Amino acid sequence: MTEIALPQHHEHEHPRGITRWLFTTNHKDIGTLYLLFAVSMLFIGGSFAMVVRAELFQPGLQFVNPHFFNQMTTMHALVMIFGAVMPAFVGLANWMIPMMIGAPDMALPRLNNWSFWLLPFAFTLLLSTLFMPGGAPAGGWTMYPPLVLQTGMAFPFLIFAVHLMGISSVMGAINVITTVFNMRAPGMSYTKLPLFVWTWVITAFLLIAAMPVLAGAVTMLLTDKYFGTSFFNAAGGGDPVMFQHVFWFFGHPEVYIMILPAFGIVSQIVPTFARKPLFGYTSMIYAVASIAFLSFIVWAHHMFTVGMPLAGELFFMYSTVLIAVPTGVKVFNWIATMWRGSMTFETPMLWALCFIILFSIGGFSGLMLGLAPADFQYQDTYFVVAHFHYVLVTGAVFAIIAGVYFWLPKWTGRMYDERLGKLHFWLSAISVNLLFFPQHFLGLAGMPRRIPDYAVQYAEWNMLSSIGAFIFGASQLIFVYVVIRAMSGHGEQATDQVWEGAHGLEWTLSSPPPYHSFNEPPKVP
């Protein structure tokens, strides 16, 4: 009797070397690629911000000419929004969503690979414009005509790069929705989904609705410049203000695309370190969904000063202020979760707490900007700069860092250095306020944004702001060191649960998790 040799299944073997990363369809590998890409863009976009803050350190022109200064502000915004914050959230989604819902991988793994690899091409196109005749785009990230139509050779590269970023985002969003709707473990009902998954599903719908609007707007810009159309050209019968309407119909939901997943991260961290279930789980889902809906009907609050009818101003003012209600629900629920909890203050919790406090400051200044009569004073001043940096840096970026510290032991199997993590936190928390808080005063005093030179009365606050920027930028090197140290196998071995108060399917896997997360559907309690 002869024996037939059956093939051996090496379920957790994976390709090695460069091909593993080029052709991978594994959700964890792609999540890692997204996160590494995002951190590299964070430093590139951050270096552009350092040029801006160095120039603004004191009055007068110091280091760069005004045109290059405008290139730096434009590229800083484009790189940070589309290259750092959004890919970082997609990276966290890739890593965590399959593990949280008990799935073996994302539903569309090859699409997942394509979604990521479009980004390096897009940003190579965008960053290459810095070396072109005429330089990089300098018309602001909002790409308002007619100013942006004066861009030289960089213009088609900008438009094509934006298209690629948008395609990547929409493909990623389709993947998230398909995965969550179809690949949940048996028993994982919608009312048991972790908040991070819920916030990402809602974000994915926002992306699918908003990104094509941007694609349409920039395509019209392209035809205006090269094909003789006049969508936004007043001389040809078009209207530049129409571009603002179309752009902000995309742009305001985009703000929430960059903050809703942050709410999900904080909603995972706070209950873990308070050792209590999240207070008001269902109300949190409704609050996030309400914010997503409202984000589509408030776009014109960016345009109070363009001259719209009073009824329009009143509608957009009241609808904008209305967003404070569901936002307040979330902040209340986080505080109620902590109330009488057995709290400890490890590094992820410190970042999450700082997020709640500083994001609330950004929310309050947003309320001020949402009031049409007050907005006439604040429009295009540094008050606006302070507001959106409190929302996007101490909001989105702080939540991403909190999430990385929270899940890093699960990803690498090694505990990060808690002492360095706290040093990173305190340096960042102090310096970021030194960086952005004085900008409120600069704005209230009337300093315009997007200028390389200013009156001497603004000198002291600008100097403090620049010092804060340099310290904040340098302190992020600690973060890189902490992550590299854990990735290279240094540090204490992490347990499977990692945190005492952690609950969820992802904590039932080993640390680091196997290459294929769940070969068999887990039991959902």
Side-chain angles (χ1 to χ4, degrees):
M1 188 175 177
T2 55
E3 290 185 358
I4 300 173
L6 296 173
Q8 297 289 315
H9 291 283
H10 300 286
E11 292 172 337
H12 296 301
E13 283 191 359
H14 49 78
R16 299 189 181 280
I18 189 70
T19 54
R20 169 182 175 183
W21 300 103
L22 283 176
F23 305 117
T24 182
T25 54
N26 183 278
H27 73 97
K28 297 190 214 52
D29 284 354
I30 294 174
T32 304
L33 286 171
Y34 266 112
L35 290 170
L36 293 176
F37 178 80
V39 80
S40 60
M41 287 295 123
L42 180 77
F43 278 92
I44 291 174
S47 65
F48 297 157
M50 292 303 109
V51 174
V52 170
R53 286 314 322 172
E55 181 56 49
L56 294 174
F57 190 79
Q58 60 186 30
L61 294 178
Q62 329 293 328
F63 305 108
V64 295
N65 62 51
H67 182 57
F68 189 73
F69 180 90
N70 286 338
Q71 292 176 39
M72 288 291 99
T73 54
T74 304
M75 294 292 278
H76 165 70
L78 288 169
V79 169
M80 285 301 197
I81 291 169
F82 296 108
V85 174
M86 289 174 69
F89 280 133
V90 181
L92 293 175
N94 261 290
W95 252 102
M96 299 314 301
I97 286 178
M99 295 204 294
M100 284 179 159
I101 65 172
D105 208 313
M106 297 295 279
L108 306 165
R110 294 200 183 282
L111 190 79
N112 209 9
N113 177 286
W114 268 97
S115 302
F116 170 74
W117 281 110
L118 282 178
L119 285 180
F121 286 105
F123 281 88
T124 303
L125 282 176
L126 184 65
L127 294 173
S128 68
T129 59
L130 283 164
F131 307 101
M132 291 178 181
W141 84 279
T142 51
M143 296 175 276
Y144 282 170
L147 183 61
V148 74
L149 296 175
Q150 297 171 16
T151 308
M153 277 185 66
F155 188 76
F157 289 80
L158 166 69
I159 302 300
F160 192 41
V162 169
H163 274 300
L164 288 177
M165 296 168 204
I167 293 168
S168 168
S169 297
V170 170
M171 291 201 303
I174 291 170
N175 216 347
V176 167
I177 293 170
T178 314
T179 304
V180 176
F181 281 15
N182 294 292
M183 297 184 69
R184 285 169 289 123
M188 176 64 81
S189 63
Y190 288 113
T191 53
K192 289 182 179 175
L193 283 180
L195 242 297
F196 178 68
V197 179
W198 259 117
T199 54
W200 240 112
V201 169
I202 294 168
T203 303
F205 279 108
L206 278 183
L207 275 165
I208 291 172
M211 294 308 291
V213 179
L214 175 66
V218 297
T219 304
M220 286 192 278
L221 280 179
L222 193 73
T223 60
D224 268 11
K225 184 163 174 78
Y226 294 112
F227 298 100
T229 59
S230 298
F231 291 110
F232 310 121
N233 179 8
D239 183 1
V241 175
M242 187 177 79
F243 178 85
Q244 296 191 31
H245 281 290
V246 179
F247 179 85
W248 285 115
F249 188 78
F250 145 80
H252 200 73
E254 170 68 16
V255 173
Y256 291 96
I257 286 166
M258 289 189 287
I259 202 65
L260 294 186
F263 297 158
I265 294 169
V266 172
S267 299
Q268 300 298 132
I269 293 174
V270 169
T272 300
F273 293 99
R275 293 166 179 78
K276 281 174 64 186
L278 183 69
F279 181 87
Y281 167 86
T282 310
S283 65
M284 290 289 261
I285 298 168
Y286 283 116
V288 174
S290 305
I291 292 170
F293 170 74
L294 289 171
S295 71
F296 276 105
I297 60 168
V298 299
W299 76 89
H301 70 211
H302 296 270
M303 306 160 52
F304 282 141
T305 55
V306 301
M308 71 176 80
L310 180 61
E313 287 186 358
L314 288 173
F315 170 78
F316 287 109
M317 182 176 79
Y318 288 129
S319 55
T320 300
V321 173
L322 196 60
I323 294 183
V325 177
T327 308
V329 168
K330 292 193 311 340
V331 174
F332 174 80
N333 285 2
W334 289 324
I335 294 170
T337 305
M338 289 185 274
W339 179 255
R340 294 187 172 174
S342 301
M343 289 173 60
T344 51
F345 298 95
E346 287 87 344
T347 305
M349 185 62 168
L350 289 175
W351 285 96
L353 282 175
C354 197
F355 164 91
I356 295 171
I357 296 166
L358 298 183
F359 176 76
S360 297
I361 292 175
F364 280 127
S365 59
L367 269 179
M368 295 166 73
L369 287 162
L371 301 174
D375 185 74
F376 275 72
Q377 179 192 348
Y378 307 140
Q379 178 75 25
D380 277 335
T381 69
Y382 255 82
F383 191 87
V384 181
V385 179
H387 158 68
F388 67 71
H389 279 97
Y390 263 88
V391 173
L392 291 179
V393 178
T394 64
V397 174
F398 271 36
I400 290 165
I401 294 172
V404 171
Y405 276 112
F406 186 52
W407 287 309
L408 189 65
K410 170 58 66 182
W411 298 341
T412 62
R414 297 287 170 178
M415 294 301 294
Y416 60 84
D417 189 320
E418 187 70 33
R419 188 174 51 86
L420 286 177
K422 286 184 174 168
L423 176 67
H424 174 216
F425 167 75
W426 285 112
L427 276 175
S428 299
I430 294 168
S431 60
V432 85
N433 282 294
L434 187 63
L435 164 57
F436 295 122
F437 208 78
Q439 294 178 4
H440 290 107
F441 306 131
L442 287 170
L444 290 173
M447 178 173 161
R449 57 195 288 208
R450 303 187 181 115
I451 55 167
D453 189 11
Y454 50 82
V456 289
Q457 60 177 327
Y458 306 125
E460 285 82 5
W461 288 128
N462 266 304
M463 190 177 290
L464 281 177
S465 187
S466 293
I467 291 170
F470 301 144
I471 299 172
F472 182 70
S475 60
Q476 303 320 303
L477 296 172
I478 301 172
F479 180 52
V480 172
Y481 174 74
V482 169
V483 172
I484 290 174
R485 191 170 180 275
M487 287 175 70
S488 57
H490 293 89
E492 187 184 337
Q493 178 69 45
T495 61
D496 292 352
Q497 195 183 1
V498 181
W499 310 109
E500 182 192 345
H503 297 286
L505 292 177
E506 69 273 30
W507 307 109
T508 63
L509 292 166
S510 61
S511 298
Y515 192 62
H516 299 293
S517 302
F518 291 101
N519 285 325
E520 294 180 8
K523 291 181 181 175
V524 179

